C-alpha cells in the first residue's frame, strides 16, 4: 500500500523543522559546545502557549480524511479528530474529573461541615461540640462525586464549565458512531466507546452514556477503563437509590483487587449500598476490608493533612457504629471480632460507638461500650483512657453515685499496684497519673460521706484495700515522677499523706456511727441552704 502524498501544510511544517534543526546545529558547532556544558545550565521550565494548535491539528486530520484513500489509518484519524473535538470543547479531561487518583481523589467526597476530622479524644470536657447528624452523614454519602453521571441538562451547567456550543461533542459522537459501524474490529474500540460515553455525559444525555458504558463493560472486559466505568455505573445507580444494581458494580471493582485505583472508593460505597439494604453483616465486612487495606498500606489514622481521606475514614467508623447499634451494641462488636479475628483498630470501633450513644444521650449504653472494651482487653494501652471516659460520661449525665463507683473501679483496675502496670511503663503514663493521684483523697472523703449507705452503694472492703494498694504501690516503687507531681502544694507526696491520714481517721470511725476522740459522731442532717449532707457540730454551753 502506497503512503499518501504529504499535504502542503505538512510539507511546510517539515521544512521549517529541518531548517530550525540545521540552524541550531550550526550554532552549536560554532561555539564548540559539548555535553559537559549542560551541567551548568538550568532547565527552562517556562510554559509556552501554542496558539491555535488544536485547530490546526483538527484541520490536518480533516484534510487527511478528505484527500487520502481509505486505509488502516482512517479509523485512527477519525478517532483522533473526535478526541480533539472533545478536548477543544471540554479540555483534556472534560468538565468533570475522570480519575480519582492524585488531585482528583481529594474531591471524591465533599469536605465536612466542621473542621473536626480526627476521632474524638477520650479525655477532656464531656460537653464537646455536637457532631454531624446521621442525616448529614448520609447526605454527604449521596452527594454526587466528580465521576457521577449527573442527570443535568447542559443549559443548567455552570457557565465556567459549559461550552460555548455543542458542535464539537456532536461532531465527535458522529465520528465515533461511524467507527463503531464501519470498523467493528478496530483495536482501540474500547477507547472509542469510552470517549463516546464521555461526550454523551458532557451533553447531559446520561442514560445513553450508561448504555454505551454497559456495552464497553460487556464487550471489552480487559479494557483499562473498566474499573472507572464500573464506578461510574455504580454511582449512577447509587444516587438514584437503586442499591442492588449499585452493589453489583461496586462489587465488580472489589473483585479486581487493590490494583484498581477505585478499590477504596468501591469498598466504601459498597458498604453503604449493603447498609441501605439492611445487609448489616455484609456491610461490616466491606468496611473492615477497607480498614484492613488502610492498615496494610501504612495509613496514619491520625493524619489530618489529607482532609478528604480523613473524612472518609471518619465516616467509615460512623457507618460501622450505625451497623453495630442496629445489631445490638458492644456485644455485637465482640461477636463480630471473635468471628473474624482481632484488629489493631478495634478500640476505635468501640470508641466511635460509645460516642455515637453519647450523642444520643444514651449514657448507660455509652459507658457500657467503653466498659466492654476494658473487660475484653484489660491490659490494652487505651483501657485506662476508656476508664476516664466512663467517669466523664456519668458526670455528663449527672449520676453522682455512678461517678463514685466508676472512680473507685478505675482506682482498683489501674492503681499503681494493679496488674496493668506489669505490661506498661508507669513512669511514662503521666496522663493517667495526673488523673489518678489527685482523686485518691477525694475517694476517701466520698467514702466518709457514704458511711451510712447500704453495702451495695458504700462498696466492699476490697475497695478500701484498693486505696491502700494505690498508696503502697507509689511508696514501694519509689516512683520518680515529673515536676508537676513533686512536693509543694498539690504535689504527689502531700496528696498521698493527706489520703493516708484520711484513711486512718476513717478506719477509727468504722462503717456506722463510730466513736472519734471519745465522742459519738452527731447524726447527719441536710442543710436546706447548701443542699449537702453535713454533720452538725454540738453547740457549746454558755458559761
Amino acid at each position: 500500500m502506497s503512503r499518501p502524498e504529504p499535504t502542503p501544510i505538512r510539507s511546510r511544517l517539515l521544512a521549517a523543522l529541518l531548517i530550525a534543526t540545521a540552524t541550531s546545529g550550526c550554532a552549536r558547532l560554532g561555539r564548540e559546545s559539548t555535553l559537559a556544558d549542560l551541567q551548568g545550565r538550568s532547565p527552562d521550565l517556562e510554559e509556552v502557549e501554542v496558539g491555535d494548535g488544536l485547530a490546526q491539528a483538527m484541520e490536518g486530520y480533516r484534510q487527511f480524511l478528505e484527500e487520502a484513500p481509505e486505509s488502516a489509518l482512517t479509523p485512527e484519524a477519525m478517532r483522533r479528530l473526535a478526541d480533539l473535538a472533545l478536548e477543544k470543547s471540554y479540555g483534556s479531561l472534560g468538565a468533570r474529573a475522570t480519575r480519582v487518583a492524585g488531585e482528583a481523589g481529594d474531591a471524591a467526597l465533599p469536605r465536612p461541615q466542621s473542621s473536626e476530622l480526627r476521632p474524638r479524644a477520650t479525655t477532656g470536657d464531656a460537653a464537646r461540640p455536637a457532631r454531624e447528624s446521621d442525616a448529614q452523614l448520609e447526605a454527604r454519602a449521596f452527594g454526587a462525586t466528580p465521576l457521577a453521571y449527573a442527570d443535568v441538562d447542559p443549559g443548567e451547567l455552570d457557565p465556567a464549565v459549559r461550552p460555548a456550543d455543542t458542535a464539537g461533542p456532536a461532531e465527535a459522537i458522529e465520528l465515533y458512531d461511524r467507527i463503531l459501524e464501519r470498523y467493528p474490529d478496530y483495536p482501540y474500540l474500547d477507547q472509542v466507546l469510552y470517549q463516546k460515553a464521555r461526550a454523551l455525559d458532557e451533553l447531559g444525555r446520561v442514560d445513553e452514556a450508561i448504555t454505551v458504558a454497559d456495552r464497553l463493560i460487556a464487550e471489552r472486559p480487559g479494557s483499562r477503563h473498566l474499573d472507572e466505568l464500573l464506578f461510574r455505573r455504580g454511582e449512577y445507580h447509587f444516587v438514584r437509590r437503586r442499591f442492588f444494581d449499585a452493589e453489583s458494580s461496586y462489587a465488580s471493582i472489589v473483585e479486581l483487587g487493590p490494583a484498581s485505583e477505585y478499590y477504596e472508593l468501591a469498598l466504601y460505597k459498597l458498604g453503604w449500598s449493603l447498609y441501605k439494604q439492611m445487609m448489616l453483616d455484609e456491610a461490616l465486612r466491606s468496611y473492615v476490608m477497607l480498614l484492613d487495606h488502610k492498615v496494610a498500606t501504612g495509613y496514619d489514622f491520625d493524619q489530618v493533612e489529607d482532609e478528604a481521606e480523613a473524612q472518609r475514614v471518619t465516616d467509615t467508623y460512623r457507618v460501622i457504629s450505625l451497623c453495630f447499634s442496629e445489631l445490638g451494641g458492644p456485644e455485637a462488636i465482640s461477636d463480630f471480632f471473635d468471628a473474624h479475628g482481632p484488629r489493631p483498630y478495634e478500640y476505635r470501633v468501640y470508641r466511635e460507638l460509645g460516642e455515637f450513644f453519647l450523642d444520643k444521650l444514651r449514657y448507660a449504653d455509652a459507658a457500657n461500650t467503653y466498659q466492654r472494651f476494658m473487660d475484653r482487653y484489660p491490659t490494652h494501652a487505651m483501657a485506662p483512657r476508656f476508664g476516664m471516659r466512663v467517669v466523664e460520661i456519668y458526670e455528663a449525665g449527672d449520676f453522682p453515685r455512678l461517678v463514685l463507683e466508676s472512680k473507685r473501679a478505675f482506682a482498683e483496675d489501674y492503681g499503681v499496684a494493679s496488674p496493668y502496670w506489669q505490661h506498661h511503663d508507669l513512669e511514662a503514663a503521666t496522663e493517667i497519673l495526673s488523673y489518678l493521684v489527685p482523686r485518691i483523697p477525694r475517694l476517701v472523703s466520698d467514702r466518709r460521706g457514704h458511711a451510712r449507705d447500704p453495702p451495695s452503694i458504700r462498696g466492699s472492703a476490697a475497695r478500701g484495700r484498693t486505696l491502700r494498694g494505690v498508696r503502697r504501690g507509689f511508696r514501694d516503687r519509689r516512683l520518680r515522677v515529673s515536676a508537676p507531681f513533686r512536693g509543694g502544694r498539690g504535689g504527689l507526696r502531700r496528696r498521698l499523706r493527706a489520703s493516708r491520714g484520711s484513711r486512718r481517721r476513717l478506719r477509727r470511725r468504722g462503717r456506722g456511727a463510730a466513736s472519734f476522740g471519745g465522742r459519738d459522731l452527731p447524726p447527719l442532717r441536710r442543710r436546706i441552704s447548701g443542699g449537702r449532707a453535713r454533720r452538725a457540730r454540738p453547740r457549746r454551753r454558755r458559761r
Side-chain angles (χ1 to χ4, degrees):
M1 182 180 295
S2 61
R3 298 181 60 182
E5 294 295 331
T7 62
I9 295 178
R10 293 182 180 177
S11 300
R12 288 194 295 269
L13 291 176
L14 180 60
L17 179 60
L18 291 174
I19 293 172
T21 305
T23 304
S24 61
C26 294
R28 281 196 299 269
L29 290 174
R31 292 192 303 268
E32 297 182 356
S33 301
T34 62
L35 292 176
D37 296 337
L38 296 177
Q39 297 180 358
R41 301 185 62 181
S42 59
D44 185 6
L45 302 179
E46 183 178 357
E47 295 184 1
V48 178
E49 182 179 357
V50 180
D52 298 333
L54 286 177
Q56 293 180 8
M58 292 174 65
E59 185 61 28
Y61 282 119
R62 287 193 184 99
Q63 289 186 8
F64 174 80
L65 293 173
E66 292 174 0
E67 300 174 3
E70 185 174 357
S71 64
L73 297 177
T74 302
E76 181 68 16
M78 294 170 63
R79 181 180 69 86
R80 294 193 178 187
L81 177 59
D83 292 347
L84 290 175
L86 277 181
E87 183 176 350
K88 183 178 180 181
S89 298
Y90 298 103
S92 59
L93 294 179
R96 301 180 183 88
T98 57
R99 294 174 66 86
V100 296
E103 294 80 0
D106 296 337
L109 285 178
R111 291 193 176 186
Q113 299 294 330
S114 63
S115 60
E116 186 180 9
L117 298 175
R118 300 178 64 177
R120 184 171 295 108
T122 58
T123 59
D125 188 5
R128 67 222 177 287
R131 299 192 302 175
E132 288 181 325
S133 64
D134 297 340
Q136 291 173 314
L137 171 65
E138 184 171 331
R140 183 163 57 253
F142 279 85
T145 69
L147 292 175
Y149 282 134
D151 195 3
V152 180
D153 184 78
E156 299 176 0
L157 293 176
D158 188 271
V161 299
R162 187 173 64 241
D165 57 72
T166 58
E171 179 186 3
I173 293 174
E174 181 182 356
L175 289 169
Y176 292 138
D177 287 337
R178 287 170 55 187
I179 296 173
L180 294 172
E181 180 182 356
R182 296 168 56 179
Y183 306 99
D185 297 329
Y186 178 56
Y188 300 105
L189 201 64
D190 62 330
Q191 183 70 14
V192 174
L193 291 170
Y194 174 81
Q195 289 289 80
K196 180 183 177 181
R198 171 192 165 192
L200 291 169
D201 174 48
E202 298 292 357
L203 291 176
R205 297 159 61 178
V206 185
D207 295 334
E208 297 179 58
I210 286 296
T211 302
V212 175
D214 289 340
R215 177 181 173 181
L216 192 155
I217 293 171
E219 296 181 1
R220 294 291 190 274
S223 172
R224 63 188 180 93
H225 302 293
L226 178 65
D227 53 352
E228 178 186 340
L229 291 178
L230 285 170
F231 189 81
R232 285 182 179 272
R233 188 173 68 177
E235 292 292 274
Y236 172 83
H237 294 301
F238 185 83
V239 297
R240 290 162 178 78
R241 296 184 177 273
R242 303 171 188 168
F243 300 116
F244 180 79
D245 296 329
E247 173 197 346
S248 175
S249 296
Y250 295 136
S252 299
I253 301 175
V254 173
E255 291 177 358
L256 297 177
S260 171
E261 59 185 351
Y262 297 86
Y263 180 73
E264 292 187 12
L265 275 175
L267 283 172
Y268 177 78
K269 300 306 284 286
L270 175 61
W272 265 109
S273 301
L274 294 168
Y275 170 75
K276 299 304 291 185
Q277 299 177 74
M278 294 307 293
M279 301 172 66
L280 302 181
D281 288 331
E282 292 80 358
L284 286 171
R285 285 198 290 270
S286 177
Y287 286 125
V288 167
M289 286 179 62
L290 173 58
L291 295 177
D292 287 345
H293 177 70
K294 289 291 188 183
V295 172
T297 56
Y299 177 76
D300 180 10
F301 285 90
D302 293 325
Q303 68 87 23
V304 293
E305 290 78 13
D306 189 346
E307 294 186 3
E309 192 65 25
Q311 182 62 41
R312 188 180 298 115
V313 172
T314 301
D315 289 349
T316 298
Y317 282 119
R318 291 192 60 186
V319 185
I320 290 175
S321 298
L322 291 174
C323 294
F324 280 125
S325 65
E326 295 284 348
L327 291 173
E331 294 79 9
I333 300 180
S334 302
D335 295 339
F336 180 85
F337 286 108
D338 283 340
H340 298 87
R343 296 296 197 277
Y345 51 81
E346 189 173 344
Y347 76 93
R348 296 177 184 267
V349 177
Y350 280 91
R351 179 172 64 186
E352 189 62 35
L353 181 61
E355 297 302 313
F356 170 82
F357 285 141
L358 185 58
D359 288 337
K360 308 295 183 184
L361 303 183
R362 296 168 58 177
Y363 298 103
D365 291 334
N368 290 338
T369 302
Y370 282 106
Q371 188 63 49
R372 181 82 176 189
F373 179 84
M374 295 160 60
D375 296 339
R376 184 177 174 88
Y377 302 105
T379 60
H380 194 277
M382 293 298 297
R385 295 166 178 82
F386 279 21
M388 302 177 200
R389 192 61 175 158
V390 171
V391 176
E392 293 173 353
I393 290 172
Y394 285 137
E395 289 176 344
D398 195 16
F399 301 108
R401 288 187 175 180
L402 294 177
V403 170
L404 177 60
E405 286 299 305
S406 60
K407 287 181 179 179
R408 291 173 178 170
F410 182 85
E412 179 181 5
D413 296 335
Y414 305 107
V416 181
S418 67
Y420 175 84
W421 298 110
Q422 298 176 7
H423 307 273
H424 299 275
D425 184 9
L426 178 61
E427 298 186 14
T430 56
E431 180 183 1
I432 301 174
L433 288 176
S434 62
Y435 184 87
L436 178 63
V437 173
R439 285 165 173 77
I440 298 175
R442 180 64 178 169
L443 289 174
V444 175
S445 62
D446 286 340
R447 285 179 57 83
R448 289 176 56 190
H450 288 267
R452 288 182 176 271
D453 290 338
S456 60
I457 301 298
R458 188 171 65 241
S460 63
R463 300 293 189 187
R465 290 195 297 270
T466 298
L467 298 178
R468 294 197 300 271
V470 170
R471 294 193 304 273
R472 188 181 303 112
F474 278 110
R475 185 176 61 250
D476 294 345
R477 288 172 179 254
R478 293 174 181 171
L479 184 65
R480 297 194 207 94
V481 295
S482 56
F485 302 107
R486 286 199 204 107
R489 297 188 59 183
L492 174 63
R493 296 185 180 89
R494 189 188 64 82
R495 293 180 182 275
L496 291 178
R497 286 196 298 269
S499 62
R500 192 180 303 118
S502 301
R503 182 58 190 157
R504 281 198 297 268
R505 290 193 295 272
L506 180 63
R507 205 162 43 240
R508 287 198 296 266
R509 286 170 182 242
R511 293 191 179 181
S515 61
F516 181 75
R519 296 178 298 170
D520 291 337
L521 291 174
L524 290 171
R525 73 180 185 185
R526 184 171 297 278
R527 293 181 56 183
I528 299 178
S529 60
R532 297 170 58 189
R534 297 182 178 179
R535 297 190 181 278
R537 295 181 179 178
R539 296 181 179 179
R540 296 181 179 178
R541 295 181 181 180
R542 295 183 179 179
R543 295 181 179 176

